[in-house]
Amino acid sequence: MVGVPLTRRAKRRAHHAPPKMTSVLEYAQLGWASCMGAHPLAEGGRACSCDRVGCPDPGMHPLSPAWQMQATTDSALLTRWWKQEPDANVILPTGRVFDVFDVAAEAGRPTLTAMDAAGFDTGPVAENGDRVLFFVATRGAPEDEDEWWSCHLDAGPEVIDSTPGLRWHCRESYVLAPPSTTPTGGVVSWIRPPDGRPLPDPLRVLDLLADFCE
């Protein structure tokens, strides 16, 4: 559960809302846009709720190809979407308010321990199966492309198999957010939920992660 105060009206709405709807409304209060994701199917002949036959990434992707335009903080729209599809997973686009470092748990867990020992403010950290997600301040998408530097770590979610180490999700990418469900029956969850405080400097976090991702 995201650790930010809700307005009285939002509290009343969230009290009767499904867990995923509650989360996207809380993300919206943080200024984090969400859009609907496909979700795994436990029954029937398909593994994914999307329309694609033989989906290669069941329950781990946005429902619409226009997800970047659809992602919103509009609470009325988010409420309508998740009322229609309460099982829809939660997709958070990166490169807007935050970027995400996506690392194997065997590197992410000791990094988190080292951060705590050093008194480092980790910012939000989530866990998706054997991956740990560190939410950091974004590089953004400035109007002047020369001000935006590329990085060999930049990655979209679809390249998970080809880049099993450290991946940096920035603009034009996304992450599956808590409390989304995974094809293995697990749930994406917060290790350190967002609390509205400023996100950490990505280069400082990257420096700490590098020691455990070699």
Side-chain angles (χ1 to χ4, degrees), residues 54-202:
C55 175
D57 201 18
M60 303 287 282
H61 61 86
L63 270 177
S64 170
W67 62 270
Q68 293 188 67
M69 292 184 291
Q70 290 182 347
T72 182
T73 59
D74 184 326
S75 59
L77 188 55
L78 293 168
T79 298
R80 187 168 80 235
W81 285 348
W82 265 270
K83 276 187 176 179
Q84 293 172 346
E85 296 287 344
D87 292 328
N89 274 341
V90 180
I91 298 293
L92 297 179
T94 54
R96 299 184 183 185
V97 177
F98 53 81
D99 290 352
V100 172
F101 288 122
D102 178 349
V103 300
E106 61 191 31
R109 285 290 184 175
T111 299
L112 195 57
T113 299
M115 288 177 168
D116 289 339
F120 186 91
D121 185 3
T122 64
V125 182
E127 190 170 39
N128 180 355
D130 61 355
R131 309 293 299 183
V132 175
L133 310 178
F134 291 82
F135 286 65
V136 298
T138 183
R139 284 181 288 169
E143 293 182 6
D144 183 354
E145 288 292 318
D146 292 335
E147 294 180 6
W148 187 87
W149 50 279
S150 61
C151 171
H152 72 282
L153 299 172
D154 291 349
E158 68 278 0
V159 299
I160 185 168
D161 293 330
S162 60
T163 57
L166 172 63
R167 296 189 295 278
W168 189 334
H169 294 283
C170 50
R171 61 180 185 174
E172 300 180 5
S173 188
Y174 61 84
V175 292
L176 194 66
S180 297
T181 52
T182 67
T184 60
V187 178
V188 185
S189 59
W190 288 112
I191 301 173
R192 304 281 170 83
D195 57 12
R197 287 182 291 177
L199 298 172
D201 180 343

